[in-house]
């Protein structure tokens, strides 16, 4: 006798089809072990299974956030770089768990998380979304990853003074070594700082970072390891230079214009906007003691955020879903859904957080979709999130079921 893995059947579900961004009624979804074994649209009885009657509620693929920093446990990078890694890991545990409670079953870490955290989640020490990590972000001297105050001349710790978040590399040789080092230590993708940032003290937001040769070298190393590069970039110039060098995803991209959007389409790049962080920082930044220069940069990118979504949509740039939150602001993760409403429809926003993000992770057909053979990451939502996206907010309170890889994170049905 062969033993079959345990089966769970979700009946009478209103299924979100992430390929068409539509809801389909009367769905039955059969989960066997870690995968979806079948999706049926008639009332075929399935025996020998645990039955969950969804009672007409919405059934969605587990959500994906393509830009998080689970080890940014406090919003002060200098202090963070002097915090023991063990304490950061303990704090990251809480951040990961809360993400899962909000329905995020997969996240892409945009710098900070290491292979230890990936394993802690895989082995079940920590409850959290599966992680796709970038390791340390690669930054030029004085770039967005260089968080040293002006008076500090030296790199003041063995990890280049940046803790877990970043590494400084200048010149083609150094950036190649830095990229190879990330890949060697388990990075799934490479992160590069290709332009100015809000939270770094000395770089102009519309400046560019790295020479084309350096950017190209980093992309070559990623391609050699069968992966890709994600680039932090705001300005049209930094976006254009990045995608022309082979970068596949543009992070933030708030100052995108039509010409740079067309360049993204030409090179098959995806935009990963992160509106949630500007919204949170506008409320919290002054309390954090951010300088006037940093708050001015923040105002500028916040205003342009929604506009960049409108431009990307009109030109046809694929739009992913990211949040980029720090410290206790992680609670605002699901605000990203409603912050996009001025530019995008609710169903499109859900598609960003499922299908588009799965594709940028190279996980099309496995994640972000309810289909035969996909990993059984599922959430049940009380109501229809394609008409009211705020149902995904409030820390998952309107999500009676969260399932990751065939296992219930919770089941209140
Ligand atoms: Zn980030």
């Amino acid at each position: 006798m062969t033993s079959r893995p345990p089966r769970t059947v979700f009946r009478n579900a209103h299924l979100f089809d992430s390929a068409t961004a539509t809801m389909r009624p009367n769905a039955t979804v059969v989960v066997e072990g870690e995968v979806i074994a079948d999706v049926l649209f008639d009332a075929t009885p399935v025996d020998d299974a645990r039955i969950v009657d969804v009672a007409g509620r919405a059934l969605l693929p587990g959500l994906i956030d393509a830009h998080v920093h689970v080890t940014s446990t406090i919003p002060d990078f200098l202090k963070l770089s002097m915090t023991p890694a063990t304490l950061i890991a303990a704090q990251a545990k809480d951040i990961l768990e809360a993400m899962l409670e909000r329905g995020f079953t997969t996240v892409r870490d945009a710098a900070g998380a290491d292979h230890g955290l990936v394993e802690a989640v895989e082995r079940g020490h920590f409850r959290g979304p599966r992680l796709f990590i970038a390791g340390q972000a690669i930054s030029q001297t004085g770039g967005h990853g260089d968080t040293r105050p002006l008076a500090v001349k030296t790199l003041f710790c063995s990890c280049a003074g940046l803790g877990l978040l970043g590494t400084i590399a200048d010149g083609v040789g150094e950036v190649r070594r830095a990229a190879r080092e990330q890949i060697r230590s388990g990075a799934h993708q490479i992160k590069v700082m290709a332009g100015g940032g809000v939270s770094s003290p000395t770089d102009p937001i519309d400046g560019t970072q790295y020479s084309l040769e350096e950017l190209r070298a980093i992309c070559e190393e990623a391609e050699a390891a069968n992966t890709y590069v994600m680039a932090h970039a705001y300005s049209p110039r930094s976006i254009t230079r990045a995608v022309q060098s082979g970068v596949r995803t543009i992070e933030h991209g708030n100052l995108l214009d039509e010409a740079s959007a067309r360049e993204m389409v030409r090179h098959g790049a995806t935009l990963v906007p992160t509106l949630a962080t500007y919204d949170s920082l506008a409320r919290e930044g002054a309390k954090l003691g951010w300088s006037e220069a940093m708050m001015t940069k923040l105002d500028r990118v916040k205003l342009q955020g929604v506009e960049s979504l409108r431009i990307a949509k009109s030109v046809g740039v694929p739009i992913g879903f990211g949040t980029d939150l720090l410290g206790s602001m992680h609670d605002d993760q699901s605000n990203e859904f409603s912050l996009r409403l001025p530019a995008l429809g609710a169903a499109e926003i859900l598609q960003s957080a499922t299908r588009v993000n799965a594709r940028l992770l190279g996980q099309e057909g496995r994640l972000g979709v309810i289909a035969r053979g996909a990993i059984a990451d599922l959430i049940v939502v009380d109501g229809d999130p394609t008409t009211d996206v705020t149902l995904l907010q409030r820390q998952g309170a309107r999500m009676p079921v969260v399932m990751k890889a065939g296992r219930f994170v919770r089941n209140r049905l």
Side-chain angles (χ1 to χ4, degrees):
M1 216 175 102
T2 54
S3 67
R4 211 163 46 177
R7 301 215 291 176
T8 304
V9 173
F10 293 90
R11 274 184 43 207
N12 195 14
H14 221 62
L15 184 146
F16 178 67
D17 179 348
S18 62
T20 56
T22 54
M23 298 298 293
R24 300 179 68 185
N26 300 318
T28 298
V29 175
V30 182
V31 173
E32 203 171 282
E34 294 189 358
V35 300
I36 294 169
D38 224 337
V39 181
L40 307 158
F41 288 94
D42 49 46
T44 317
V46 181
D47 44 72
D48 193 19
R50 173 177 182 178
I51 306 291
V52 179
D53 187 358
V54 181
R57 294 179 180 87
L59 184 68
L60 278 70
L63 304 170
I64 305 171
D65 188 334
H67 192 123
V68 301
H69 298 281
V70 301
T71 56
S72 288
T73 57
I74 48 171
D76 178 331
F77 294 127
L78 191 59
K79 261 193 203 153
L80 191 65
S81 72
M82 293 180 279
T83 304
T86 42
L87 178 59
I88 292 176
Q91 294 168 325
K93 176 181 190 282
D94 296 340
I95 289 172
L96 285 162
E97 187 158 347
M99 286 177 170
L100 194 56
E101 294 290 335
R102 287 187 285 268
F104 289 92
T105 49
T106 301
V107 298
R108 184 177 63 154
D109 195 274
D114 68 359
H115 188 65
L117 275 184
V118 176
E119 270 200 56
V121 172
E122 276 174 6
R123 295 188 191 189
H125 297 296
F126 289 3
R127 289 170 75 236
R130 71 177 60 69
L131 282 161
F132 287 83
I133 63 165
Q136 296 171 308
I138 302 172
S139 171
Q140 69 175 43
T141 293
H144 181 52
D146 189 347
T147 51
R148 291 173 296 170
L150 270 62
V152 173
K153 298 289 184 206
T154 52
L155 298 174
F156 49 81
C157 96
S158 58
C159 42
L162 304 165
L164 296 160
L165 267 179
T167 185
I168 294 175
D170 295 291
V172 167
E174 278 186 30
V175 299
R176 278 194 199 282
R177 180 190 291 273
R180 290 170 185 172
E181 185 58 33
Q182 301 318 310
I183 291 161
R184 183 193 72 80
S185 27
H188 298 103
Q189 70 277 340
I190 297 295
K191 167 81 176 288
V192 61
M193 302 303 194
V198 176
S199 59
S200 38
T202 60
D203 49 345
I205 192 81
D206 49 6
T208 67
Q209 294 177 9
Y210 277 130
S211 67
L212 290 172
E213 292 72 24
E214 289 165 312
L215 288 173
R216 185 66 213 136
I218 294 167
C219 291
E220 268 175 25
E221 294 302 327
E223 286 157 20
N226 296 329
T227 184
Y228 68 94
V229 176
M230 58 191 294
H232 165 105
Y234 284 104
S235 69
R237 252 195 323 153
S238 60
I239 292 167
T240 301
R241 293 167 89 254
V243 296
Q244 287 178 346
S245 304
V247 164
R248 295 269 300 282
T249 70
I250 294 296
E251 308 302 305
H252 323 300
N254 297 48
L255 308 179
L256 185 81
D257 62 7
E258 272 195 39
S260 51
R262 272 194 291 273
E263 210 54 35
M264 286 187 68
V265 171
R266 193 186 338 261
H267 293 276
T270 299
L271 180 69
V272 182
T274 59
L275 304 189
T277 197
Y278 313 109
D279 187 63
S280 298
L281 284 169
R283 276 177 274 131
E284 302 287 324
K287 279 188 245 164
L288 301 173
W290 274 26
S291 69
E292 218 178 292
M294 284 156 81
M295 291 308 281
T296 305
K297 290 201 276 190
L298 176 66
D299 273 352
R300 183 165 170 207
V301 295
K302 184 171 185 280
L303 277 171
Q304 290 290 309
V306 169
E307 191 52 30
S308 72
L309 287 176
R310 288 201 187 98
I311 293 168
K313 184 183 172 178
S314 71
V315 174
V317 179
I319 301 169
F321 182 101
T323 54
D324 196 27
L325 292 157
L326 312 169
S328 62
M329 288 175 272
H330 275 107
D331 286 352
D332 298 335
Q333 187 177 24
S334 305
N335 290 357
E336 184 72 28
F337 291 103
S338 45
L339 287 167
R340 292 181 174 207
L341 286 172
L344 304 173
E348 272 177 296
I349 299 167
L350 290 177
Q351 204 172 27
S352 293
T354 53
R355 185 167 196 252
V356 180
N357 273 1
R359 200 185 314 155
L360 75 81
L361 289 170
Q363 298 291 317
E364 201 171 10
R366 280 170 55 79
L367 298 176
V369 64
I370 303 177
R372 190 184 297 181
I375 294 173
D377 286 1
L378 298 164
I379 59 174
V380 172
V381 180
D382 231 340
D384 182 355
T386 63
T387 55
D388 181 6
V389 88
T390 65
L391 293 169
L392 300 171
Q393 292 169 210
R394 279 165 283 172
Q395 314 303 320
R398 299 293 298 272
M399 274 174 214
V401 174
V402 176
M403 173 179 266
K404 183 190 156 200
R407 290 179 165 213
F408 285 106
V409 173
R410 72 167 166 266
N411 178 13
R412 297 203 193 106
L413 292 182

